[in-house]
Amino acid sequence: MTGSDASPSFRLAYVPGVTPTKWVRIWNERLPDIPLTLVGVSAAEAFAALRAGDADAGFVRLPVDGADLSAIPLYTETTVVVVPKDHVVAAVDEVSTEDLADEIVLHPLDDVLGWETPPGKPAFERPATTADAIELVAAGIGVLVVPQSLARLHHRKDLTYRTVTDGPASRIALSWPEEKTTDMVEDFIGIVRGRTVNSSRGRQAAPAQPRQERKAAPAKKTGGKGTGKPAARSGGKPNARGAAAPKRGGGKPRRRP
């Protein structure tokens, strides 16, 4: 780790659709002396921001585009289609991509679903951003398939959305430069993983020392077992197990008066 080189504040990047409020609150409760600064970035800019040192860690959309960045997958988002409230799709709970075959499906340049072939009919021109595509949906130009968090982010009263059952899904992860795994990054990893404040504040525990082998305790002398010596004969008759039976009256003979 490079905790001694860490900045006095923790900078956390996040892509549109991610709401880091819960994790920020826990950070402020546990580490009140280290301010956390949020850095909003686009999905396309997130990895460059981490590499450039503009953020110590960030919530990104997978896949990570390089082996120099570490990532912890967190959750997979539901994919939805955004439509006007009076659209026929609004009358059902969910649709398939096949149900969108006759629709103009907008495919913005900042799309995060990574379609191999988007469903439906392509628009005459691709919108520059998801926000622009939302405006076109509201104008009745087409429909838009996005992660549910983006549909909520760009919510409008005249639009609604429905689940797409077989579309590609976007996964959210916590990522950071592998060579810059500072103590503060470890602290935030612990928070995201749900570790308690007593779990070394989320930091990796020091490697355990090799455990010394315990010396075997000397065996008790019970009829010669464990001593390496044969058991002494008692002079009695053998019993059913082949062991000598003890004489009656115990060990030593009584003295006559």
Side-chain angles (χ1 to χ4, degrees):
M1 298 182 192
T2 56
S4 59
D5 301 327
S7 61
S9 65
F10 185 71
R11 296 157 299 172
L12 178 66
Y14 68 101
V15 297
V18 174
T19 305
T21 307
K22 176 182 68 175
W23 297 298
V24 172
R25 174 180 54 79
I26 296 174
W27 175 279
N28 291 333
E29 291 173 354
R30 295 186 184 181
L31 302 164
D33 297 331
I34 303 177
L36 186 151
T37 303
L38 290 174
V39 181
V41 294
S42 69
E45 298 170 341
F47 301 118
L50 293 175
R51 290 190 175 101
D54 296 334
D56 300 294
F59 291 110
V60 302
R61 293 187 182 274
L62 294 176
V64 173
D65 64 353
D68 59 322
L69 296 175
S70 297
I72 300 174
L74 300 177
Y75 58 90
T76 300
E77 290 200 82
T78 299
T79 300
V80 301
V81 58
V82 182
V83 298
K85 282 192 172 181
D86 58 355
H87 195 281
V88 63
V89 168
V92 297
D93 293 330
E94 58 185 30
V95 296
S96 67
T97 53
E98 186 177 352
D99 295 328
L100 303 176
D102 295 330
E103 301 289 341
I104 294 178
V105 179
L106 302 167
H107 189 203
L109 295 176
D110 63 354
D111 170 66
V112 297
L113 292 177
W115 292 100
E116 291 185 5
T117 303
K121 301 174 182 179
F124 178 74
E125 185 177 359
R126 293 183 65 181
T129 65
T130 298
D132 293 336
I134 290 290
E135 295 296 327
L136 294 176
V137 174
I141 304 300
V143 300
L144 175 65
V145 180
V146 290
Q148 185 175 356
S149 66
L150 292 183
R152 290 175 174 173
L153 178 65
H154 299 287
H155 171 71
R156 288 176 54 122
K157 293 182 178 180
D158 54 346
L159 301 181
T160 187
Y161 58 83
R162 295 293 183 267
T163 300
V164 178
T165 57
D166 59 345
S170 178
R171 294 189 299 158
I172 300 298
L174 176 68
S175 183
W176 67 94
E178 185 175 357
E179 294 183 353
K180 297 180 180 178
T181 309
T182 64
D183 283 345
M184 287 190 293
V185 169
E186 290 287 1
D187 286 331
F188 196 75
I189 291 172
I191 290 172
V192 170
R193 287 187 178 276
R195 294 173 184 159
T196 64
V197 68
N198 295 324
S199 301
S200 300
R201 291 175 53 200
R203 301 179 183 179
Q204 292 180 348
Q209 296 295 326
R211 185 172 59 182
Q212 296 181 352
E213 295 183 2
R214 297 180 180 179
K215 294 183 179 180
K220 295 182 180 180
K221 296 182 180 181
T222 55
K225 292 183 180 180
T227 63
K229 298 181 181 179
R233 294 183 180 178
S234 59
K237 295 181 180 181
N239 57 20
R241 297 182 180 179
K247 292 182 179 180
R248 295 182 178 179
K252 296 182 181 181
R254 295 180 180 178
R255 292 182 180 181
R256 293 183 179 179

